[in-house]
Amino acid sequence: MVFKVWRSKNIAKFIFIFFLLNNLNIDASTRYSFSKEDNGSIENNIKSQYLIGHGDGLKIEFYDLKIYSGFYSIDRDGFIDLPEIGSFYVENLTIEELKKILTEEYKKYIINPNIKINLVEYRPITIYISGEVRSPGIYTLKGNRLDLPVRNQTGVIGFRENIVNNFNIRLYDALKLAKGVNNYADLANIEIIRKNSKSQGGGKISTKIDLLSTLTKGDLSQNIRLYDGDYINIPKSQNIIKEQLLAINNLNINPEKITVYITGNVVERGEFLLNKGTSLT
């Protein structure tokens, strides 16, 4: 799976989705990578970057200048309030981009500034799922909440409550939210489109994910992490593969119950709620 520049021939197909995503809060920070198994070897190591935005929390540390160090939340307009600099716009930057910019800005106030930035609070992410899923649409997912210690020079003085941390929503989680996939879903060619960082060229990037290999071979590298603003499309398969059909109907992303309708020469006709995997007999 290789992220490639989003080409113009695909714009017509997804113009509505792009309009939608561009009006969502598609912002971010942190980097991740995933790889594809090909002929027994791991290759095509791909890196994508998460862009910071409203709701994220940053821990900014100034070496040998503790008075400036602290926790900074990004407000609704994409700004953080920094010492000396004041209100500073950080929307849609990566952590590395922000570090580089702040290092240059603080050269006006500090000799050889040494700045460390960590993303310690993750905002909820909003994604759009379309295609061969049971319930397509827009979904908002929240991360785990932790209580992080607040420290000063004397030690821990309290806790900052409800920090959203360890944010790790995966593709499989998203499909469960959409109530699973149908028998025609092409799980070997799932498309994911996301916003690219400016330092990596900007615009949109896309990749194809083979989630079927996760289900049949246990290849967890295909179950990638999702970022805010991701668009996930599950295409329709032209030929239903036996292995895929069996995998889909046994997935724990699909509902545990199925609804069937029985009519004709039977004692009891109508709608019945049965367990997933129930046979015709």
Side-chain angles (χ1 to χ4, degrees):
M1 54 195 150
V2 179
F3 271 119
K4 57 182 181 299
V5 176
W6 187 242
R7 300 188 182 282
S8 58
K9 66 178 181 180
N10 294 312
I11 293 177
K13 184 177 178 181
F14 296 107
I15 190 169
F16 170 73
I17 303 302
F18 281 166
F19 174 79
L20 178 65
L21 293 179
N22 284 326
N23 285 279
L24 293 174
N25 193 16
I26 316 175
D27 314 311
S29 88
T30 308
R31 178 176 299 181
Y32 83 86
S33 65
F34 61 91
S35 58
K36 178 181 179 181
E37 186 174 1
D38 186 15
N39 298 325
S41 63
I42 301 297
E43 62 179 14
N44 298 329
N45 207 25
I46 307 300
K47 291 186 176 180
S48 177
Q49 293 180 311
Y50 178 100
L51 309 177
I52 56 176
H54 164 57
D56 287 330
L58 305 175
K59 182 181 179 182
I60 304 179
E61 297 178 273
F62 293 78
Y63 183 72
D64 278 345
L65 201 59
K66 300 291 185 182
I67 192 171
Y68 282 3
S69 300
F71 178 89
Y72 297 89
S73 294
I74 302 174
D75 66 22
R76 291 186 179 275
D77 297 318
F79 289 86
I80 55 176
D81 192 18
L82 293 168
E84 302 293 348
I85 295 176
S87 187
F88 193 80
Y89 189 71
V90 299
E91 191 90 358
N92 290 332
L93 294 176
T94 68
I95 290 293
E96 289 301 318
E97 288 169 346
L98 178 59
K99 179 180 177 180
K100 183 176 181 180
I101 293 171
L102 289 186
T103 299
E104 289 300 315
E105 286 291 326
Y106 273 101
K107 285 181 179 178
K108 303 172 186 177
Y109 310 98
I110 304 170
I111 298 174
N112 296 324
N114 189 346
I115 301 172
K116 179 181 178 181
I117 305 175
N118 288 316
L119 180 63
V120 296
E121 181 175 357
Y122 289 89
R123 68 188 185 280
I125 68 170
T126 298
I127 60 175
Y128 185 87
I129 308 174
S130 70
E132 302 302 310
V133 291
R134 299 181 189 276
S135 184
I138 299 173
Y139 292 90
T140 298
L141 306 91
K142 296 182 179 180
N144 300 323
R145 289 189 174 272
L146 303 175
D147 291 343
L148 296 184
V150 177
R151 295 182 174 87
N152 64 9
Q153 293 180 348
T154 62
V156 177
I157 59 173
F159 289 88
R160 178 179 173 84
E161 297 181 354
N162 294 327
I163 296 296
V164 182
N165 203 8
N166 297 330
F167 198 88
N168 195 21
I169 300 297
R170 300 275 169 172
L171 175 59
Y172 204 79
D173 301 319
L175 296 185
K176 290 181 73 172
L177 276 180
K179 299 181 180 178
V181 297
N182 61 42
N183 291 340
Y184 296 96
D186 186 355
L187 298 180
N189 289 289
I190 296 175
E191 184 172 30
I192 297 181
I193 303 168
R194 69 174 42 149
K195 191 172 184 179
N196 196 19
S197 64
K198 293 179 180 178
S199 58
Q200 291 186 324
K204 304 283 185 178
I205 52 176
S206 69
T207 191
K208 292 289 183 68
I209 300 296
D210 182 7
L211 194 62
L212 183 60
S213 66
T214 299
L215 307 175
T216 58
K217 301 177 184 178
D219 182 8
L220 296 180
S221 69
Q222 303 296 302
N223 186 27
I224 69 169
R225 178 183 173 186
L226 299 178
Y227 290 164
D228 189 29
D230 279 358
Y231 165 58
I232 304 163
N233 180 51
I234 316 297
K236 186 173 183 178
S237 177
Q238 300 301 319
N239 300 303
I240 299 180
I241 305 171
K242 177 184 175 183
E243 290 78 10
Q244 175 171 300
L245 188 60
L246 292 173
I248 287 175
N249 285 283
N250 288 299
L251 288 178
N252 62 359
I253 60 174
N254 284 340
E256 292 296 322
K257 299 289 184 178
I258 60 173
T259 301
V260 299
Y261 300 89
I262 303 177
T263 186
N265 191 23
V266 291
V267 175
E268 191 174 352
R269 303 177 183 87
E271 178 183 316
F272 295 87
L273 188 64
L274 305 174
N275 290 326
K276 180 175 64 177
T278 299
S279 67
L280 176 62
T281 303

